[in-house]
Amino acid sequence: MSLAAFQQATSDLVASPDLCRRLQRDPQSVLSRYELSTRDQHRLIDLVQQRGMSINCTLYRFNRITPLYTLLPLTNFVMGESFIHEAELFWESFRDSDPRFTQEVDRFGDFLIQRLHRGEIQNEFAEEIICFELATNELRFAQREEILGELGNASLGSGKTRALQLHPLVRLVTFRHEPAKLLRLLKDRRPQPYQLMKDRFWVLLDVLGEELRVRRIEPQLGEILERIAGSGITLSEEDSEALLEAGMVVRSADQALEPPPNVHMPL
């Protein structure tokens, strides 16, 4: 019996209206999870009967859903009514919200992708859109000037023999469907079904300039960058220099501030 157990139970109840309802219907099925005194058990039962508890649950859900809606708008649209259901499952798995909303969104995106891979979500377009929006958010909130400054300082001593890796202000995303048309349909809130060409397409995002740039690249370049971001690839010095001059890659020793960027690639 401890204050910590009571606080954990209260936190869980605020995070889950369904848990509150279960406590009202069958108190012992919920209370048995926690090492609570009889007094604290009665306090919790009284707590869920109070009108203010419903308001607390509503505020909790509002605070946690807002960044998901805001930073994953296309994911929200493509998933439709299942989006809020998946958010509730996510909150059940991750009771503690992260005050850093970008990290909360990343965790939710990874949660959705894992469920897609396990076949627990059936949605033809969801994974490529989730990956695209996660990559977009990573770049929008990147410390651009700081990264460029540190890369500039580190490059003074770099050697040409060092391996290549994606530039930290670049992200590579693969699509299964024609990306420009798919993104336009979703931004215009056009309902499914969609008639789209299926293949492997590569989209490159970067904030090397002041604005986020999104462009489709040729398959050969996409495959090269994908291999650079993965296990690596040996290129001629001429090809390496071309990629370096284009700002797509850096020498591995140049990236002194962070590990290589995430590469979101639907399987």
Side-chain angles (χ1 to χ4, degrees), residues 40-83:
D40 283 343
Q41 290 184 16
H42 288 305
R43 288 174 64 194
L44 287 174
I45 293 172
D46 290 341
L47 184 66
V48 296
Q49 306 295 336
Q50 296 178 12
R51 186 164 51 186
M53 190 63 178
S54 175
I55 296 173
N56 285 334
C57 289
T58 299
L59 289 174
Y60 174 90
R61 288 159 62 84
F62 177 81
N63 288 334
R64 291 200 73 176
I65 198 65
T66 297
L68 305 184
Y69 277 139
T70 302
L71 295 181
L72 297 173
L74 301 183
T75 300
N76 173 29
F77 180 74
V78 80
M79 294 189 67
E81 294 181 358
S82 67
F83 186 83

Side-chain angles (χ1 to χ4, degrees), residues 30-48:
V30 175
L31 296 175
S32 60
R33 306 178 182 187
Y34 310 97
E35 295 183 6
L36 297 166
S37 65
T38 301
R39 178 172 176 271
D40 283 343
Q41 290 184 16
H42 288 305
R43 288 174 64 194
L44 287 174
I45 293 172
D46 290 341
L47 184 66
V48 296

Side-chain angles (χ1 to χ4, degrees), residues 202 216-223:
W202 283 265
R216 179 176 158 185
I217 58 176
E218 293 300 318
Q220 183 179 7
L221 177 57
E223 290 177 354

Side-chain angles (χ1 to χ4, degrees), residues 236-249:
S236 69
E237 193 55 41
E238 181 181 357
D239 289 340
S240 298
E241 288 300 323
L243 292 177
L244 288 163
E245 289 178 10
M248 297 178 183
V249 300

Side-chain angles (χ1 to χ4, degrees), residues 59 89 133 198 266:
L59 289 174
L89 292 178
E133 291 200 300
K198 294 184 180 181

Side-chain angles (χ1 to χ4, degrees), residues 102-114:
T102 53
Q103 281 79 357
E104 178 86 343
V105 170
D106 285 344
R107 287 199 305 178
F108 181 56
D110 291 340
F111 173 82
L112 292 177
I113 290 171
Q114 290 174 22

